[in-house]
Amino acid sequence: MLEVNKLTRLYGDLKAVDDVSFKIAKGEIVGLLGHNGAGKTTIMKMLSGFIESNHGTIKINNINLKDNPKKAQKDIGYLSENLPIYPEMIVADYLDYVSEIKEITGTQKISEIRRVIQATDIESKILSPIYTLSRGYKQRVGIAQAILGKPKLLILDEPTNGLDPKQTNLVRTLIRDLSKDATVILSTHIMQEVDALCSRALIIRDGKVAVDAELSKLRKSNHLLLSSSLTKDEMTAVLLPIDNISVVDELSENNSIFSYRIGLKNIIENDAIIGQIARLIVSSGANLYSISREIKDLETLFREAND
């Protein structure tokens, strides 16, 4: 659905985006992450056609954005962080105006406006001037204009910014529904949003792709966490028969309960190694209080990618 190849954007001598390539299939929700200044906003602006790249290509549904921008942009819905809305307009008039820009006319326009109003739960505000709305309602109007026309590529920059928990859940559900027929790129500083919605992460560092991987694979670990009555020397001796163990690190001791981080030579693919360790500890006559895989959260993965 979306194919980006060797994308580069220069601002004078500064390379804001440097030789970025990736592909995203229909139905994927991909989190675009990076520190401020990493280049992710510039990438989104190029994907939307708002600014041009100096080098590289963007293909949306097999249409080259640079060669045929109008045709490609018909398949794009874009919500920028600063909300592309006109405060003096009434909500209904604004959505009508955006529909005309997207060349949605006639009965289709009426049905589409009704659809996005219902999807974003803004029925009570359709006759209100936008400047009178709260930040949360303005955000939902911005999302409504982005999804007009059922775009095949939806680019969302901080879509839940300013929303309360109920509104956030509504938007999450909406994004999941949209992904059934579209590709979604989600940029956010809220790691919970990526955890809740995305199956894949693109982490941008210094204008380059530092990480491009499925979250499930990123979270795979080669470490176990366990607590036992065994001391460090005893634990090392008990686990000696297991060739896959690379290191035994003691984390803490409290009332003769010792906590350890066990490093393995290979990524943990199943729980067989956990059962083996548990049997050895119990067979030694010691107490085993807990044993589990170490789970990396997204914030840890993000820090590791930016170190």
Side-chain angles (χ1 to χ4, degrees):
M1 171 56 204
L2 174 64
E3 184 176 347
V4 175
N5 187 41
K6 296 185 179 299
L7 202 63
T8 300
R9 173 69 190 190
L10 303 171
Y11 292 105
D13 294 330
L14 173 67
K15 271 190 179 180
V17 176
D18 186 3
D19 200 38
V20 165
S21 299
F22 58 86
K23 294 180 181 180
I24 304 177
K26 177 184 174 182
E28 280 194 277
I29 305 176
V30 176
L32 186 65
L33 305 173
H35 289 304
N36 290 334
K40 60 185 187 299
T41 298
T42 301
I43 290 172
M44 285 188 290
K45 286 181 178 179
M46 287 190 285
L47 293 179
S48 69
F50 184 73
I51 60 175
E52 288 190 358
S53 62
N54 294 97
H55 307 289
T57 58
I58 299 169
K59 289 185 179 180
I60 300 167
N61 210 20
N62 291 319
I63 301 167
N64 190 306
L65 180 60
K66 192 171 285 187
D67 294 342
N68 202 338
K70 286 190 176 180
K71 188 174 181 181
Q73 285 174 324
K74 283 186 177 181
D75 286 333
I76 299 172
Y78 180 40
L79 174 68
S80 66
E81 187 179 7
N82 58 3
L83 292 179
I85 52 180
Y86 296 100
E88 70 279 3
M89 295 185 76
I90 291 172
V91 172
D93 291 342
Y94 172 67
L95 295 176
D96 182 84
Y97 168 69
V98 174
S99 298
E100 292 290 335
I101 292 175
K102 293 187 176 186
E103 299 182 354
I104 305 169
T105 57
T107 57
Q108 184 190 4
K109 178 173 72 174
I110 295 170
S111 64
E112 266 300 282
I113 290 175
R114 284 176 177 168
R115 181 184 70 84
V116 302
I117 286 173
Q118 185 176 13
T120 54
D121 194 23
I122 56 174
E123 292 98 330
S124 63
K125 302 295 182 180
I126 58 173
L127 298 179
S128 301
I130 291 174
Y131 75 85
T132 66
L133 303 182
S134 67
R135 169 71 192 191
Y137 270 108
K138 287 177 182 176
Q139 190 75 7
R140 283 190 272 172
V141 171
I143 294 169
Q145 66 80 29
I147 65 176
L148 273 169
K150 299 179 181 177
K152 294 183 175 67
L153 174 63
L154 193 58
I155 304 168
L156 303 175
D157 194 356
E158 304 287 351
T160 59
N161 190 13
L163 303 185
D164 62 33
K166 180 182 177 181
Q167 295 164 348
T168 295
N169 286 331
L170 183 148
V171 170
R172 286 178 180 176
T173 301
L174 176 60
I175 292 171
R176 290 190 194 100
D177 289 342
L178 291 167
S179 72
K180 295 173 184 175
D181 300 302
T183 297
V184 181
I185 297 177
L186 172 70
S187 178
T188 179
H189 289 91
I190 305 171
M191 296 300 175
Q192 295 95 318
E193 288 302 303
V194 180
D195 270 324
L197 286 167
C198 301
S199 60
R200 179 175 158 205
L202 283 166
I203 300 179
I204 308 299
R205 181 179 63 199
D206 298 329
K208 299 176 181 285
V209 176
V211 174
D212 178 2
E214 305 232 350
L215 290 182
S216 59
K217 292 181 180 177
L218 283 174
R219 290 194 180 99
K220 284 188 175 180
S221 174
N222 63 334
H223 286 87
L224 297 171
L225 299 175
L226 68 84
S227 59
S228 169
S229 60
L230 292 172
T231 64
K232 171 71 177 294
D233 289 341
E234 290 169 340
M235 179 65 73
T236 302
V238 165
L239 299 183
L240 197 59
I242 303 179
D243 292 335
N244 193 22
I245 290 179
S246 61
V247 65
V248 177
D249 289 327
E250 183 180 330
L251 300 179
S252 64
E253 184 272 331
N254 184 25
N255 293 327
S256 297
I257 298 175
F258 299 86
S259 296
Y260 297 97
R261 185 171 186 255
I262 310 297
L264 305 176
K265 296 174 184 176
N266 302 311
I267 295 292
I268 305 165
E269 297 293 347
N270 56 58
D271 291 334
I273 186 72
I274 294 177
Q276 189 178 3
I277 291 172
R279 285 191 295 272
L280 286 172
I281 293 173
V282 173
S283 298
S284 74
N287 293 322
L288 176 63
Y289 300 108
S290 66
I291 182 169
S292 63
R293 303 184 191 209
E294 181 183 56
I295 303 298
K296 291 184 177 180
D297 61 30
L298 192 56
E299 289 189 19
T300 300
L301 295 168
F302 183 75
R303 283 197 305 271
E304 289 177 355
N306 284 279
D307 281 344

